[in-house]
Amino acid sequence: MPFSRRPLGQQPASRRFVLRAAATGAAATLAIALPGGAAARASAAPPVHVYVAGDSTASTYVSSLAPRAGWGQALPVFLTADASVVNMAKSGASSKSFIDLGLLDRILAVIKRGDYLLISFGHNDEKIDDPSRYTEPSTTYKQYLSRYIDKSRAKGAIPVLVTSVERRHFDGAGRISTSHGAYPAAMRELAAAKGVSLVDLTASSTALWNRVGVEGTKKYFMILKAGQYPNYPDGSQDNTHFQAFGAIEVARLVATALHNQGVLPSADFRRLTDTIPTSSIVWPTT
């Protein structure tokens, strides 16, 4: 019987066996040699693909930039071989510029029925002084996001909106100061209007940063001492992007939401509550 993806929340028809290898901007998938009938099942039942369209907070970074990492780069550690991540997130991209660069078209050329498209923009849509990236929350932002939704649905894929992860900006009382303005609310409104699953990463990351606190969040972000890492001899004071530990924990927030909402079958997830070593992240060399 030919394989078909079952409805959301149900177990997949059979297990699929692949080896996921990260590559810049995408994850390459290589088949494992399996004995007898298992190999036949693997070839008959390829993994569903989870595409990530987003910005620098989700991007895959090369080894020369380690320990910097994006949550899309870390997402594979929480998914089994049944779900292969293809991270197309691009540093500096907005919902508009990602399309203008042809990156959505690249995804649409290969995405298949039953695949998923995680859509996470906002950090760069906010840049009102850059017309190549700026979108207005209640109008053009929703219009561009709608193109991702409508075009992926036309291919039989399942779009999922992901609000922007919050920055590490604390107020005088030690609580997170919101930095994304009207964009998260606009995405929530669009998700409700179009019946799209929503991962509210703005809310979940804000809660995490408030729980961990001003000092505790330093190990999540690119807050590095001079000489701490060879790639950053002068250190770093970046309150937007993540080092490996932070990328893993933000990816955990995304994966947990996808699991709890039944967006992907439960069998597609692993290690959601485990301690994950930072060595689990793959930094490609080029």
Side-chain angles (χ1 to χ4, degrees):
M1 177 182 295
F3 173 81
S4 61
R5 188 71 173 172
R6 292 192 176 188
L8 297 182
Q10 294 186 14
Q11 301 292 325
S14 64
R15 302 299 293 171
R16 296 174 290 277
F17 301 84
V18 296
L19 175 65
R20 188 184 299 107
T24 302
T29 304
L30 307 174
I32 294 176
L34 298 172
R41 289 195 298 276
S43 62
V48 65
H49 291 89
V50 180
Y51 292 85
V52 179
D55 54 38
S56 58
T57 61
S59 296
T60 294
Y61 293 92
V62 295
S63 56
S64 62
L65 295 176
R68 181 165 167 171
W71 63 258
Q73 184 174 1
L75 188 59
V77 304
F78 296 109
L79 296 174
T80 70
D82 286 335
S84 179
V85 175
V86 183
N87 188 13
M88 296 292 291
K90 180 175 177 57
S91 294
S94 71
S95 63
K96 176 183 186 298
S97 68
F98 193 90
I99 289 175
D100 291 344
L101 290 168
L103 296 175
L104 176 58
D105 286 339
R106 286 178 59 187
I107 293 173
L108 295 172
V110 293
I111 200 168
K112 294 180 173 60
R113 181 170 298 279
D115 286 343
Y116 296 82
L117 177 59
L118 307 187
I119 308 156
S120 185
F121 295 99
H123 279 83
N124 299 302
D125 288 75
E126 303 165 10
K127 297 185 176 180
I128 194 168
D129 58 343
D130 185 351
S132 69
R133 293 187 286 182
Y134 176 69
T135 62
E136 196 280 325
S138 64
T139 56
T140 49
Y141 182 57
K142 289 183 177 181
Q143 290 163 12
Y144 278 104
L145 292 177
S146 293
R147 291 171 66 176
Y148 294 81
I149 295 167
D150 297 342
K151 288 179 178 292
S152 60
R153 278 177 165 172
K155 296 295 295 274
I158 302 156
V160 181
L161 291 172
V162 182
T163 60
S164 294
V165 61
E166 191 50 83
R167 298 180 174 95
R168 183 182 172 272
H169 289 169
F170 287 90
D171 62 20
R175 304 293 291 176
I176 282 292
S177 296
T178 58
S179 65
H180 295 304
Y183 290 88
M187 185 178 279
R188 294 179 194 116
E189 291 169 1
L190 182 65
K194 297 186 78 71
V196 176
S197 294
L198 174 80
V199 173
D200 197 342
L201 188 56
T202 303
S204 60
S205 62
T206 297
L208 176 59
W209 307 151
N210 281 331
R211 185 165 65 252
V212 176
V214 175
E215 290 301 314
T217 48
K218 289 181 179 179
K219 67 179 181 179
Y220 292 76
F221 288 83
M222 287 289 290
I223 309 297
L224 312 177
K225 296 178 182 178
Q228 185 178 358
Y229 289 97
N231 290 333
Y232 299 87
D234 298 325
S236 172
Q237 294 296 315
D238 182 343
N239 292 297
T240 297
H241 301 101
F242 310 111
Q243 53 180 298
F245 178 80
I248 289 170
E249 294 311 308
V250 174
R252 190 194 304 273
L253 295 177
V254 175
T256 299
L258 294 172
H259 172 269
N260 291 348
Q261 294 180 38
V263 178
L264 277 76
S266 294
D268 287 353
F269 296 93
R270 61 176 180 154
R271 306 173 72 184
L272 288 178
T273 60
D274 292 358
T275 299
I276 307 295
T278 56
S279 59
S280 298
I281 290 185
V282 175
W283 283 276
T285 57
T286 59

